[in-house]
Amino acid sequence: MKTKIYDLLSSVKLTVTLFLVIAASSIFGTIIEQGLTPDKYRQIFGETFFHVLKFFNIFDLYHSWWFTFLLILLSVNLIACTLKQIPRVAKITIKSGKKIDDSLFTSSQIMNTLYFKEPQSDIEKRVSLFLKSISNSLTRVSNNGVFYYFIEKGKFSRFGMILVHVSVLFIFAGGLIGAIWGFGGQMNLVEGGKSDTVYLFGNEGTKKLDFYVACDNFSLKYYKNGIPKEYKTVLTIINEDKEVFKSVIRVNHPLTYKGFKFSQASFGVAGAYNFRVKVINMTTKEENLLTLDMMNKVPVSGNDLSFAVARFESDYMGQGPAALGVLIKPGEEHDIFWLNKNSPIQRGDYVFMLNDFDIVYYSGIQVNKDPGVILVWIGFILIIVGFISSIFFEHIRVWVRVSTEKEGCEISIAASTSKNKDIFKEKINRMITEYLEGETA
Amino acid sequence: MNDTFIVSIVTFLYFLSAFIFLVSVVFRKDNAEKIATVVAVGGLMLHSLALIIRWIHSYQLGIGHAPLSNFYESLVFFSWSIVFIFLLIRKQYKNSLISMFSVFFAFLILAYVSLSNTLDCQIQPLIPALQSNWLISHVISSFLAYGCFAIAFGLSILYLLKKIINNNIVNLLPDTAFLDEITYKIISIGFVLLTLGIITGAAWADRAWGRYWGWDPKETWSLITWFIYGAFLHARLARGWRGIRMSLISIVGFACVVFTYLGVNYILAGLHSYLEY
Ligand code: HEM
C-alpha cells in the first residue's frame, strides 16, 4: 500500500495529468473575470449559480483551495520524483563505463558488429580514430586478448534535468512564501501629501507601514500625440518625523526600502485649484476675470452676487474637465451648474466661462513586499542553466570490443544516448562508414 | 528606404522560396532545393535589414525603441522568427516539403500584414510601461519560441497526413519516426525559449508593477501553453508516448500559442467588457 502510494506520487503519469488539469482549470480564471464584487457576480450569474461558483472559489480561482491543492500535489510529485531520479542518475554517471562486460553488446540502444580481414593492430588504430572523433577521453582495457574501449561525453547533462526539477521547487517555495508573508497594494499620494496606509488588492483591507511615504513632487511629460511619455514621483521616506531616504521613482524604476518595493503604477487627477472664470454681464457688456480656489466665495462684478466652485471633475460625463459653479444671490436659492472648460453658460444676466485651472495630481504607487522573491530569481537562473545542459547536450556513451578471429578480427560496437536515439544512430552509422569501413571499401 | 516597402519585397521572396521548394518537391530536384534555400536566406537578410531600418528610423523620430512594440511589429517579427528557426534547424531534416511549409507560413503572416487595412504600421511612441530592456528580451525569446511551435505544428499536421492518407505527395515526407523525433527536438528548444520568455516577462512585471506574477490573462495563458508543452515532453520522455497522440498535443499547444498571442487581446478583452455591462 505504502509503496503503491509512493509509486503514484512519484509517477510521471501523475505529472502529465496534473499539467493538463492545471492548464485546463486555469482557463476558467481567464474567462470569468477575477476579483469583482459579489454583487456583480450575482448580477451576471444569478443567485443559485453564484453560490455554486463561490463554493469552488471561481472568483479567486488561483488562490482557491482546490487550485492550491493541485499545486501542492505537483510539488509533492516533483519532490518524490527527484528523490527517485537522483540515485538513478548517480548510477549512470558515476559507475558508467567502469564496468564493461559483454552483455552491453547485446542490450544497448544501438548495436553493430563488423568483421575485418586485417590484423587486429591495424583495426585498433581505426577504432581509436573513430572514438576520438567523438571524445578524447578514451578508456581501454584488455581481458584475455579481447580489447574493450569506452568513451563518453556530456555526462553533466544528466544533472541538468535534476537541476531543472529542483529549480521548479525553488520557484514554488518562493511563490508560497510570497503568498503567505507577502502583500501587494496601492497608495495614492497627492502632491505634497504623505501616508502610511496601503490599500491591499482584492478588497482585503489596509495595511499600515511603520513609516510614512511622502510625495514631494509629481511630474508628467507627454508625447506630441498626447500619449504619456514619462511620469515620475519624488518620494521621501519619513521615519519618526525624520527624512531618511529620498528617491525618484518612474515606471520600470522602482524604489526598495526595508523590503518594501514602491513602483510607479499610475497617476490621476486629485483635484484642481486656481480656477480662472470669465464672467460677462450681458447688459453692460462688462467683462470680469475671477480667480478663485475651491470653496472660496468671490464677488461678481461689484454687486451683491458672488460665485464659488464647489467641485471639480477631471472628466465630467465624458466631456472633459468641468467645475461645479455656485452662483449665490442673497435671499434666493443658490444656482448650481456645471461649467465645462471653454464652453460658456448663461445664467440670468451673466455668462460664465471656465477658462483655465491648475491641476493637482495624485501619484498611484504600488507597494509590494515579497520575501520569497529571491528564491524565485534563484530558481529562474538555475532552471535556465539546467535547461541548457539537459536539452542542448546529451550524454553519449560508446563501447567497442575488438577480438581476434580466425581470419582477421571482429568489432562490436554498442552505443547509447540520453536522447534523440534515431539521430544518433544515423551519426554512428555514418562514422562507421567513414572511419572503420572507409579504407577497406 | 522605407521599412514597410522592404517588408513587401520580403513577402514576395518568401513566396518565391516556398514556390521553388514546391518545385523541388514535385520534380525531386536537389538544385531547386538549394536555390529555394538561398532565396529564403536572402529574404531573411532583407527582413533583418527592415527591422534595423525601422529601429534607426524610430530614433530619428525621437521615439527610439526596438521594433517589437505594437501588433504590426510583432507580426513582422513572428514571421522573422519562423524563418530564422527554420534555417537554423533545416540541416537536421533537409526535407523540401517541411521547408516549403515553414517559409509559406512566414509568407502568410507577412501577406496578412501587407493586405490588412486595420493594421497600423506607423512607428508609435512607447508608453512608459513598455520602456524596458526586459521587454526586448521578453519579446525576442517569446517569439522565437512561437516560431519553434509554429514549425512543430506544421510537422505535426504533416505527421497526421502521413498517417491518415497515402498518396504520392505524402510519400515524399520523411518517415513518421523521423518526423516524430524532429518535432520533439523543435518543441524542446521552443520550451526552453518559452520558459525564458516567461521568466523575462516576470522580471519585467516585477520592475513595472512590483510583482513577478499576477495571474492576468496573458500571463495565465502563457503558463497554460507552458504546461501543455511540458506535458508533451514528459509524456514522450518518461512515458514513451509517440505518434498521433504527440501530434495532437503539439497541435493543441500551438492553438494555445495563438490564443496567448491573439485571443487574449481580442477575445478575452471583448468578453470581459461584455460581462461588465
Ligand atoms: C513543473 C515541473 C516540471 C518541469 C518544468 C519539468 C521539466 C523537465 C524537463 C525540461 C525535462 C527534460 C526534457 C528533455 O530533456 O527534453 C524533464 C524530464 C523529465 N521529467 Fe520533468 N519537469 C517537471 C516536473 C516533473 C515531475 C513532477 C516529474 C516526476 C514525476 C518529472 C519527471 C521527469 C522525468 C522522468 C524526465 C525524463 C528524464 C529522462 O529520461 O532523461 N518532471 N522535465
Side-chain angles (χ1 to χ4, degrees):
Chain A
M1 186 63 195
K2 238 184 198 160
T3 55
K4 249 193 185 153
I5 292 177
Y6 182 70
D7 280 350
L8 176 70
L9 284 180
S10 63
S11 73
V12 183
K13 205 178 207 165
L14 180 65
T15 314
V16 173
T17 314
L18 281 174
F19 277 14
L20 296 179
V21 170
I22 292 173
S25 45
S26 297
I27 295 177
F28 290 105
T30 67
I31 297 174
I32 299 171
E33 197 168 357
Q34 304 285 293
L36 301 179
T37 59
D39 284 341
K40 198 118 210 179
Y41 287 120
R42 276 208 182 81
Q43 200 182 319
I44 298 170
F45 296 107
E47 195 63 30
T48 338
F49 203 37
F50 168 79
H51 284 290
V52 177
L53 293 178
K54 183 145 178 62
F55 176 72
F56 289 101
N57 222 332
I58 298 288
F59 309 131
D60 191 15
L61 189 152
Y62 305 108
H63 306 102
S64 64
W65 51 270
W66 58 272
F67 197 79
T68 309
F69 172 74
L70 290 177
L71 292 179
I72 290 176
L73 196 56
L74 182 60
S75 320
V76 171
N77 183 209
L78 196 49
I79 294 170
C81 173
T82 307
L83 291 179
K84 220 176 185 178
Q85 291 286 319
I86 289 175
R88 195 186 71 114
V89 168
K91 199 172 140 203
I92 290 180
T93 49
I94 297 167
K95 292 209 188 128
S96 79
K98 302 282 183 318
K99 199 177 98 226
I100 306 181
D101 60 48
D102 288 340
S103 69
L104 280 168
F105 299 93
T106 52
S107 67
S108 294
Q109 277 180 343
I110 298 165
M111 289 171 292
N112 212 330
T113 304
L114 308 159
Y115 297 95
F116 292 90
K117 294 231 157 54
E118 291 89 337
Q120 189 162 344
S121 56
D122 274 16
I123 295 304
E124 285 199 36
K125 260 185 225 130
R126 287 190 216 162
V127 168
S128 63
L129 275 179
F130 164 69
L131 290 174
K132 280 192 171 145
S133 73
I134 301 172
S135 159
N136 265 325
S137 62
L138 184 66
T139 317
R140 179 172 179 262
V141 289
S142 71
N143 188 358
N144 296 334
V146 180
F147 289 90
Y148 296 92
Y149 291 81
F150 170 68
I151 56 128
E152 76 178 325
K153 198 173 79 171
K155 205 188 237 184
F156 65 93
S157 75
R158 298 266 185 194
F159 295 102
M161 196 265 299
I162 290 185
L163 191 57
V164 168
H165 289 148
V166 171
S167 18
V168 173
L169 285 174
F170 272 86
I171 296 167
F172 277 10
L176 190 67
I177 290 174
I180 297 173
W181 288 292
F183 73 87
Q186 172 115 4
M187 193 175 220
N188 291 342
L189 293 176
V190 177
E191 231 176 323
K194 66 173 186 177
S195 169
D196 63 348
T197 309
V198 181
Y199 292 85
L200 299 180
F201 292 133
N203 307 323
E204 294 194 354
T206 58
K207 175 157 185 99
K208 274 235 180 311
L209 305 174
D210 52 9
F211 52 85
Y212 277 89
V213 186
C215 165
D216 298 349
N217 179 270
F218 174 82
S219 55
L220 178 62
K221 277 190 211 146
Y222 288 99
Y223 291 109
K224 279 192 222 92
N225 63 0
I227 295 175
K229 177 179 187 178
E230 181 190 271
Y231 43 104
K232 59 185 177 196
T233 304
V234 181
L235 274 193
T236 307
I237 306 285
I238 302 169
N239 205 346
E240 288 166 3
D241 293 332
K242 276 202 295 280
E243 286 191 8
V244 287
F245 200 84
K246 202 184 204 57
S247 173
V248 178
I249 63 166
R250 289 184 286 138
V251 182
N252 280 312
H253 299 270
L255 154 73
T256 307
Y257 176 74
K258 277 194 178 167
F260 296 93
K261 195 165 187 176
F262 299 89
S263 321
Q264 178 79 71
S266 57
F267 65 87
V269 174
Y273 64 105
N274 203 15
F275 295 95
R276 273 86 81 188
V277 179
K278 190 158 76 179
V279 186
I280 307 167
N281 186 327
M282 293 308 280
T283 32
T284 61
K285 295 284 179 251
E286 182 192 354
E287 272 193 38
N288 204 339
L289 187 70
L290 308 178
T291 305
L292 68 167
D293 282 342
M294 190 76 81
M295 292 311 217
N296 123 257
K297 197 165 87 174
V298 292
V300 176
S301 66
N303 57 27
D304 54 358
L305 286 182
S306 45
F307 180 79
V309 172
R311 246 170 83 189
F312 174 78
E313 293 271 340
S314 57
D315 191 18
Y316 179 66
M317 315 269 288
Q319 305 284 312
L324 189 65
V326 184
L327 188 58
I328 303 152
K329 303 174 197 167
E332 282 183 40
E333 224 167 84
H334 295 179
D335 184 8
I336 302 174
F337 50 94
W338 280 99
L339 275 174
N340 275 89
K341 191 179 174 186
N342 292 332
S343 55
I345 281 193
Q346 182 157 13
R347 294 316 242 202
D349 269 356
Y350 293 91
V351 170
F352 293 84
M353 184 158 91
L354 176 60
N355 276 357
D356 212 354
F357 45 82
D358 292 324
I359 278 183
V360 188
Y361 287 100
Y362 70 82
S363 170
I365 292 162
Q366 287 203 359
V367 186
N368 292 80
K369 185 181 174 118
D370 187 347
V373 74
I374 183 74
L375 287 179
V376 175
W377 294 141
I378 293 174
F380 280 172
I381 292 169
L382 293 183
I383 204 173
I384 293 299
V385 174
F387 267 142
I388 291 172
S389 50
S390 82
I391 293 208
F392 296 121
F393 294 89
E394 50 191 323
H395 183 204
I396 290 171
R397 289 176 293 173
V398 183
W399 299 266
V400 177
R401 180 182 61 193
V402 183
S403 55
T404 306
E405 297 291 309
K406 273 176 223 122
E407 291 175 35
C409 57
E410 181 196 279
I411 300 184
S412 297
I413 299 166
S416 83
T417 169
S418 54
K419 53 171 52 94
N420 295 324
K421 189 186 120 204
D422 292 345
I423 293 174
F424 187 55
K425 196 172 192 168
E426 264 197 30
K427 189 173 160 195
I428 290 283
N429 286 338
R430 244 183 292 133
M431 283 167 50
I432 288 175
T433 322
E434 185 176 340
Y435 290 97
L436 300 179
E437 295 170 332
E439 283 138 328
T440 44
Chain B
M1 206 163 14
N2 187 329
D3 62 282
T4 48
F5 176 68
I6 301 179
V7 168
S8 47
I9 299 177
V10 174
T11 314
F12 170 73
L13 286 179
Y14 289 162
F15 178 76
L16 188 66
S17 166
F19 181 75
I20 304 173
F21 275 125
L22 184 65
V23 169
S24 127
V25 173
V26 176
F27 298 100
R28 305 185 184 217
K29 288 267 189 287
D30 266 3
N31 283 348
E33 199 267 330
K34 286 205 183 80
I35 295 169
T37 307
V38 170
V39 174
V41 170
L44 188 72
M45 278 158 65
L46 263 188
H47 202 156
S48 316
L49 184 70
L51 294 176
I52 293 168
I53 287 181
R54 191 176 173 90
W55 200 331
I56 295 172
H57 193 55
S58 73
Y59 274 93
Q60 288 164 347
L61 290 175
I63 47 175
H65 59 79
L68 305 168
S69 69
N70 59 17
F71 188 39
Y72 166 84
E73 291 173 339
S74 73
L75 281 172
V76 171
F77 189 69
F78 187 15
S79 161
W80 185 93
S81 306
I82 293 176
V83 180
F84 179 77
I85 294 285
F86 143 70
L87 286 172
L88 207 65
I89 56 174
R90 108 172 216 291
K91 280 219 179 68
Q92 305 256 1
Y93 56 82
K94 263 210 152 158
N95 178 282
S96 293
L97 201 60
I98 299 172
S99 307
M100 186 199 88
F101 275 106
S102 305
V103 185
F104 192 71
F105 205 148
F107 157 75
L108 279 183
I109 294 171
L110 288 190
Y112 171 74
V113 165
S114 310
L115 297 178
S116 160
N117 44 16
T118 54
L119 216 54
D120 183 4
C121 64
Q122 294 295 83
I123 300 179
Q124 288 143 348
L126 283 188
I127 58 166
L130 298 184
Q131 299 162 10
S132 166
N133 286 334
W134 283 113
L135 187 67
I136 298 178
S137 40
H138 172 60
V139 173
I140 291 178
S141 38
S142 305
F143 276 94
L144 287 176
Y146 293 178
C148 292
F149 296 143
I151 294 175
F153 167 74
L155 288 168
S156 303
I157 297 280
L158 293 179
Y159 182 94
L160 290 183
L161 285 180
K162 178 135 184 159
K163 277 275 170 182
I164 294 163
I165 51 178
N166 193 352
N167 65 21
N168 289 341
I169 300 263
V170 170
N171 286 340
L172 299 170
L173 284 169
D175 68 63
T176 45
F178 194 71
L179 272 179
D180 186 69
E181 189 139 295
I182 206 83
T183 310
Y184 156 67
K185 205 158 190 181
I186 294 171
I187 284 182
S188 63
I189 296 171
F191 189 68
V192 178
L193 288 166
L194 180 65
T195 310
L196 199 59
I198 293 176
I199 290 175
T200 46
W204 170 44
D206 188 66
R207 291 291 286 178
W209 300 298
R211 92 286 186 285
Y212 56 86
W213 194 261
W215 293 107
D216 82 19
K218 197 107 184 167
E219 287 172 345
T220 308
W221 271 96
S222 68
L223 190 69
I224 293 169
T225 310
W226 190 78
F227 274 126
I228 300 286
Y229 284 111
F232 178 100
L233 292 181
H234 286 85
R236 181 185 170 99
L237 273 180
R239 313 258 337 131
W241 283 21
R242 292 289 186 277
I244 290 181
R245 286 196 281 190
M246 301 286 20
S247 310
L248 292 179
I249 301 183
S250 153
I251 289 168
V252 170
F254 189 65
C256 289
V257 167
V258 173
F259 198 81
T260 309
Y261 180 28
L262 306 176
V264 170
N265 298 8
Y266 293 95
I267 299 174
L268 287 184
L271 196 64
H272 286 166
S273 49
Y274 168 75
L275 280 179
E276 249 173 63
Y277 296 109

